[in-house]
Amino acid sequence: MILKKINRITAITAFVFITLSCEHGISGNKQSAFDNSKKSASKKETLLPIPPLLKGRRNKKGDILFSLTVQKGESEFFNNMKNSTYGYNGPLLGPTIRARRGQLVRIKVKNTLREYTTVHWHGMLVPGIMDGGPHQVIQPDGEWNVYFRINQPAATTWYHPHGIGTTAVQVYMGLAGLFILDDEVSDRLNIPKDYGKNDIPLIVQDKSFTSYGVLIYLRSMRDVMEGMKGDTILVNGVVSPVLNVTASKYRFRLLNGSNAKIYNFRLSNDRPFYQIASDAGFLEKPVKMNNLRLSPGERAEIIIDFSGYKEKDYLYLASDNYFMLKFKVGQKIKDTTEIPAKLTNIMRIPKEMSSRSRIFNLSGMGHNVNINGRKMDMNYINEYVKYKNVETWVISSNTGGMMGMMRTSGVFHNFHAHGIHFQVIERSKSAVPENEKGWKDTIFLDRGETVKVITRFLYKGIFMYHCHILEHEDNGMMGQFKVE
Ligand SMILES: [Cu+2]
């Protein structure tokens, strides 16, 4: 059984490696994934690219029409080495889709890959059949026409593939984009909101490369057990970019778009910044912090105030001791934006409204990952939920014990559910931090930790819940719930 699974992963690995590098004739290269020699080789400064806003077309009814093409392309990360990558409407990543609350959005997705894909709207509240999970497969040369009305608060959400067994590799190859939602609250707040100017999207992902700059995937047992963690962090698809900033306030929309890496974002000088939004919208008030943990799939909007810096100062956005993005401070400008004392009102779901509680135990690592002892089965609905009900979900990471105690163990899980937003009621290992008191759709679990959340089911259909360590998801750490 285990051998069979290992073969499956090996097959995927071989497939990826060949896909990524066969045209360069060095697929047999056994370079260490942690060889840093390439890093010194490329040293011209790259400006941070900003994913373009996707232009929509309005029909007579006022609906907005977008189109996305899933395609193969080429990207250079190091040493002029071209790698085969995937993107939406381009070679890598995707454009930013933007829509307003109340708007009906129609999206035509065309798949020009030679493999199937899906497009999941992570963090969006939409009916099950529009969710883009494993049931909404888009075959090669196929098209998917999806439509939904935006009915949720302003937020930074994202889109990415969600096929059975192919999510991790397709995201790693480059399939990810942001989906920004606006509403009257985001209109009213006097925060930085000029997209690409002082409102900057940051898609943070890690990848591994050979010393020749060839992208590689799942080369070690550790990657298989813990999920793929790279040796290089990319921001908006490039290595070590630079952003020229004026000495004023900037808003950053952070997405952990990595397969398995958990980031502890900080500034290189450890000065504080302010988190203003979590996964599914604004927090009630800004949270001052100097360290922000984001697990895969989670988002945060933060404001960094550069007004205290002098021209030519520079600092970095870092995660632990890895410096991923350089900020070069320029002139002071007149800055009328603010960090408001109050952002929005969040209605707490009363605990008394909870009609029942469900338990989700996340266990294992590598190929043995499971939830409540089961692996994902497309033909099995794990949980039936009543439409409009409120429930309490008790989510535990049981990858502790012997393996968790091993100093080398970096096996973590997190939990994401489709079609719902939830509020965190309790963490077993700490108090619920201020920045987790807003709406969430993805939550980090420490080893051996239990997190209790409360949620309501506003859309009907079949939805997924799963670990967002993508290799765990692909290995079956996923289940289905049906809202009816
Ligand atoms: Cu996991």
Side-chain angles (χ1 to χ4, degrees):
M1 174 86 167
I2 289 176
L3 254 180
K4 200 170 143 200
K5 291 268 166 52
I6 289 177
N7 282 337
R8 184 181 144 213
I9 276 286
T10 314
I12 292 173
T13 313
F15 158 72
V16 175
F17 197 67
I18 288 164
T19 312
L20 298 182
S21 58
C22 60
E23 50 212 274
H24 308 292
I26 48 170
S27 58
N29 187 334
K30 288 259 188 225
Q31 212 72 41
S32 155
F34 294 91
D35 182 339
N36 281 332
S37 58
K38 64 197 175 265
K39 298 229 168 68
S40 54
S42 64
K43 266 305 140 227
K44 66 169 200 277
E45 277 193 343
T46 313
L47 289 179
L48 178 77
I50 304 292
L53 284 174
L54 184 60
K55 283 205 174 71
R57 208 160 43 80
R58 257 167 224 278
N59 69 9
K60 282 184 201 141
K61 288 190 280 181
D63 305 344
I64 182 154
L65 287 76
F66 292 111
S67 54
L68 286 178
T69 301
V70 192
Q71 61 185 78
K72 192 177 168 189
E74 281 188 333
S75 304
E76 280 178 28
F77 301 101
F78 287 108
N79 305 345
N80 305 316
M81 173 57 75
K82 287 187 168 54
N83 283 285
S84 290
T85 51
Y86 289 168
Y88 299 100
N89 301 2
L92 190 72
L93 299 176
T96 298
I97 306 176
R98 193 159 193 169
R100 284 190 66 80
R101 188 169 194 165
Q103 215 161 27
L104 193 106
V105 172
R106 294 177 183 276
I107 307 172
K108 176 187 285 205
V109 185
K110 197 169 163 28
N111 178 17
T112 67
L113 301 179
R114 274 180 278 166
E115 58 183 295
Y116 79 85
T117 191
T118 83
V119 184
H120 166 55
W121 319 104
H122 181 135
M124 304 269 288
L125 298 180
V126 298
I129 49 164
M130 301 297 173
D131 180 65
H135 293 283
Q136 287 88 43
V137 166
I138 319 171
Q139 295 293 349
D141 292 321
E143 227 177 68
W144 184 45
N145 287 286
V146 59
Y147 59 92
F148 41 79
R149 192 172 294 282
I150 309 288
N151 188 18
Q152 65 186 84
T156 303
T157 74
W158 66 302
Y159 58 97
H160 64 79
H162 214 295
I164 287 284
T166 60
T167 299
V169 63
Q170 290 190 353
V171 171
Y172 191 79
M173 291 280 283
L175 291 178
L178 289 177
F179 201 137
I180 294 177
L181 305 177
D182 301 299
D183 68 0
E184 62 290 343
V185 176
S186 60
D187 287 351
R188 192 179 61 231
L189 289 172
N190 183 23
I191 52 179
K193 54 176 96 166
D194 195 354
Y195 183 85
K197 302 285 192 306
N198 61 6
D199 178 357
I200 310 285
L202 300 177
I203 302 173
V204 181
Q205 297 177 309
D206 58 332
K207 298 190 191 299
S208 275
F209 298 91
T210 68
S211 59
Y212 296 97
V214 177
L215 189 55
I216 51 175
Y217 181 64
L218 282 187
R219 300 295 294 279
S220 71
M221 197 39 136
R222 190 180 144 169
D223 290 341
V224 175
M225 300 310 272
E226 299 179 7
M228 177 68 199
K229 289 179 196 157
D231 59 350
T232 304
I233 297 175
L234 296 91
V235 185
N236 295 345
V238 304
V239 181
S240 305
V242 175
L243 179 69
N244 292 310
V245 296
T246 55
S248 64
K249 288 185 277 306
Y250 279 70
R251 171 190 190 178
F252 295 95
R253 297 172 189 260
L254 283 166
L255 161 66
N256 180 345
S258 280
N259 284 30
K261 188 172 172 59
I262 293 147
Y263 295 97
N264 292 301
F265 290 106
R266 65 182 189 92
L267 294 173
S268 50
N269 55 18
D270 285 316
R271 286 204 202 166
F273 51 88
Y274 297 83
Q275 184 175 347
I276 57 167
S278 59
D279 298 335
F282 289 112
L283 298 168
E284 286 210 299
K285 47 187 196 293
V287 178
K288 188 176 181 180
M289 53 174 58
N290 43 30
N291 201 299
L292 167 62
R293 180 186 62 206
L294 285 187
S295 68
E298 287 186 290
R299 289 88 62 210
E301 295 179 29
I302 60 168
I303 293 179
I304 302 176
D305 188 354
F306 295 103
S307 65
Y309 296 91
K310 298 189 303 290
E311 199 173 344
K312 292 190 178 156
D313 277 353
Y314 63 88
L315 62 154
Y316 295 86
L317 177 69
S319 174
D320 299 319
N321 290 320
Y322 192 110
F323 292 6
M324 64 182 82
L325 168 66
K326 185 176 187 177
F327 301 116
K328 280 166 94 172
V329 183
Q331 285 179 333
K332 207 167 217 76
I333 58 154
K334 187 165 185 271
D335 181 8
T336 55
T337 68
E338 51 191 35
I339 301 169
K342 174 93 198 257
L343 295 158
T344 192
N345 288 314
I346 295 175
M347 293 285 285
R348 306 304 305 178
I349 307 177
K351 286 177 202 167
E352 310 78 69
M353 277 180 72
S354 177
S355 61
R356 63 166 288 178
S357 140
R358 288 176 207 262
I359 288 172
F360 298 88
N361 282 324
L362 282 69
S363 299
M365 57 186 81
H367 307 289
N368 300 317
V369 289
N370 64 80
I371 300 179
N372 294 341
R374 289 193 73 108
K375 282 184 175 291
M376 171 68 183
D377 177 350
M378 283 289 276
N379 301 310
Y380 183 78
I381 302 293
N382 304 72
E383 310 285 339
Y384 287 88
V385 169
K386 243 195 172 140
Y387 174 59
K388 291 204 169 161
N389 261 14
V390 170
E391 293 193 0
T392 309
W393 284 13
V394 182
I395 308 146
S396 300
S397 167
N398 298 314
T399 306
M402 284 296 283
M403 291 307 281
M405 278 154 66
M406 281 165 57
R407 278 188 306 139
T408 50
S409 173
V411 183
F412 288 96
H413 303 298
N414 69 0
F415 185 87
H416 167 54
H418 296 202
I420 59 169
H421 294 155
F422 51 76
Q423 293 176 345
V424 184
I425 306 176
E426 205 178 294
R427 273 192 175 278
S428 66
K429 286 199 166 184
S430 65
V432 178
E434 286 302 316
N435 67 329
E436 285 185 350
K437 290 186 176 167
W439 289 105
K440 299 275 298 162
D441 57 54
T442 309
I443 189 89
F444 171 75
L445 302 166
D446 198 1
R447 278 183 295 248
E449 189 172 37
T450 297
V451 175
K452 204 185 269 186
V453 305
I454 192 164
T455 188
R456 53 193 176 182
F457 305 90
L458 302 174
Y459 288 87
K460 291 181 185 176
I462 295 170
F463 299 97
M464 305 294 130
Y465 58 85
H466 59 91
C467 177
H468 217 285
I469 306 297
L470 298 182
E471 286 73 19
H472 291 176
E473 176 189 328
D474 280 350
N475 277 320
M477 201 172 216
M478 178 154 67
Q480 311 192 65
F481 66 101
K482 185 171 186 185
V483 183
E484 56 187 7

